[in-house]
Amino acid sequence: MPAEPPARTLIAPSEMNRRTGRFLYRFVLVLTLIGFTLAFVFPLYWMATGAMKTSADLADSTPTLLPRSWHPESYRDAWTNVGLGHYFLNTLILALGAWLTQLLVDVSAAYALSKLRPVLGNVVLGMMLASLMLPVSALLVPMYLTVVDVPLFHVNLINTPFAIWLPAAASAFNIFILKRFFDQIPAELLDSARIDGAGTLRVLVSVVLPLSRPVLAVVSIFAVVAVWKDFLWPMLVLPDEARQPITVALNRLSEFMPANQLLAGMAMAAVPLLVLFLIFQRHIIAGLTAGSLKG
């Protein structure tokens, strides 16, 4: 058999055998890692420590990395004075509902496109993927008109959680990820289940979903994060202040809250997403790198 050609890399293997090449490689690697870490972590640090400064320190023209005097009570005041707990509960309900509806719709659509192979399935998938090329602003008007008067049912969903859940249910990106994963599941497994008498739904629940836990974790995190951090759409469809999520509430209350309490509210709003990522980071990596199954 002919020898495989060597893998092409940014640095030639001959350079890596030299002391200078190894030093430059490690120097650039460490510098890149530090740069990316600072780019992502520093805004979080600035927000968390800024909440412990006084409003006068935040307005100072020469900001400091550390507070001149520490005021951790800003977090307590932000939680109690404006009732952030209520808005956190609203956000949690919206995120969980969007996660559930998105899993039901996206898993069903991806399974049908991957394993049931409907007529014109590739055309439907192509149209779904084409929607990803449209900017979000171009979809706001048709989405808003849809939730104001739902076709066929003629129901107004404004100021209801369904105004968030239903538009979030069908995600072309998540359907594509799920379909690609389902395509890797050997057809022999599904045929064996059908021989044993399992129907289409039973095959999905008993065979496909247990094998798809990594990618389901990825899709779940994408669904929750998308709703948790969304601002423009909830502001449009949830004008009732008592039903608004934390992102909209903080924007509305920003003119009444001190700057340090506003930063404290933002920091607390970011904590659940950070905890979610830290807990499920292994599942995210496994789901994104899963490309095949070993029999």
Side-chain angles (χ1 to χ4, degrees), residues 237-248:
V237 299
L238 298 175
D240 186 359
E241 296 179 359
R243 301 176 181 269
Q244 293 175 346
I246 186 72
T247 52
V248 181

Side-chain angles (χ1 to χ4, degrees), residues 243-263:
R243 301 176 181 269
Q244 293 175 346
I246 186 72
T247 52
V248 181
L250 285 175
N251 178 73
R252 176 174 52 82
L253 297 170
S254 59
E255 54 182 303
F256 307 108
M257 297 175 63
N260 56 349
Q261 293 186 22
L262 179 62
L263 287 176

Side-chain angles (χ1 to χ4, degrees), residues 6-293:
R8 301 184 63 179
T9 60
L10 292 176
I11 301 177
S14 58
E15 292 293 332
M16 289 297 297
N17 293 329
R18 300 177 182 178
R19 180 179 301 178
T20 304
R22 291 195 298 270
F23 172 78
L24 290 177
Y25 169 76
R26 292 168 182 168
F27 176 78
V28 173
L29 178 61
V30 171
L31 191 64
T32 303
L33 291 176
I34 293 176
F36 275 101
T37 301
L38 291 178
F40 285 101
V41 173
F42 184 76
L44 298 176
Y45 167 81
W46 187 261
M47 180 173 59
T49 57
M52 300 186 194
K53 298 179 180 179
T54 63
S55 297
D57 289 341
L58 290 173
D60 196 342
S61 58
T62 56
T64 58
L65 289 177
L66 294 175
R68 294 186 177 93
S69 59
W70 296 84
H71 297 277
E73 65 273 8
S74 299
Y75 288 92
R76 181 197 60 208
D77 296 339
W79 183 269
T80 58
N81 292 350
V82 297
L84 287 184
H86 173 73
Y87 299 114
F88 263 104
L89 180 61
N90 289 346
T91 310
L92 182 63
I93 293 174
L94 294 176
L96 291 179
W99 165 73
L100 181 60
T101 55
Q102 195 167 133
L103 277 188
L104 290 174
V105 173
D106 293 357
V107 168
S108 301
Y111 178 67
L113 292 172
S114 176
K115 298 304 181 184
L116 303 184
R117 304 298 177 97
V119 179
L120 300 179
N122 290 332
V123 176
V124 173
L125 179 62
M127 295 174 63
M128 289 181 181
L129 296 179
S131 66
L132 296 175
M133 303 179 186
L134 297 174
V136 176
S137 56
L139 301 174
L140 287 178
V141 173
M143 287 173 56
Y144 186 82
L145 295 177
T146 300
V147 299
V148 168
D149 185 12
V150 179
L152 300 179
F153 298 97
H154 301 291
V155 178
N156 189 343
L157 300 179
I158 297 298
N159 276 327
T160 67
F162 293 98
I164 303 294
W165 296 345
L166 294 184
S171 171
F173 181 70
N174 287 343
I175 291 175
F176 177 71
I177 292 178
L178 288 166
K179 180 186 179 301
R180 289 295 302 272
F181 190 92
F182 292 165
D183 288 342
Q184 304 298 325
I185 298 178
E188 292 79 5
L189 292 177
L190 309 186
D191 294 338
S192 299
R194 294 190 183 100
I195 292 174
D196 292 337
T200 301
L201 183 60
R202 184 61 181 273
V203 170
L204 172 63
V205 174
S206 301
V207 179
V208 176
L209 292 185
L211 294 173
S212 306
R213 290 176 183 173
V215 73
L216 289 177
V218 173
V219 171
S220 298
I221 292 173
F222 286 167
V224 172
V225 170
V227 175
W228 194 280
K229 69 182 183 64
D230 197 9
F231 167 74
L232 182 57
W233 182 247
M235 184 181 65
L236 292 176
V237 299
L238 298 175
D240 186 359
E241 296 179 359
R243 301 176 181 269
Q244 293 175 346
I246 186 72
T247 52
V248 181
L250 285 175
N251 178 73
R252 176 174 52 82
L253 297 170
S254 59
E255 54 182 303
F256 307 108
M257 297 175 63
N260 56 349
Q261 293 186 22
L262 179 62
L263 287 176
M266 294 179 178
M268 288 187 289
V271 167
L273 297 184
L274 293 175
V275 173
L276 186 69
F277 174 77
L278 292 176
I279 293 176
F280 294 102
Q281 58 179 330
R282 292 185 179 180
H283 298 278
I284 296 175
I285 298 173
L288 293 176
T289 57
S292 61
L293 296 174

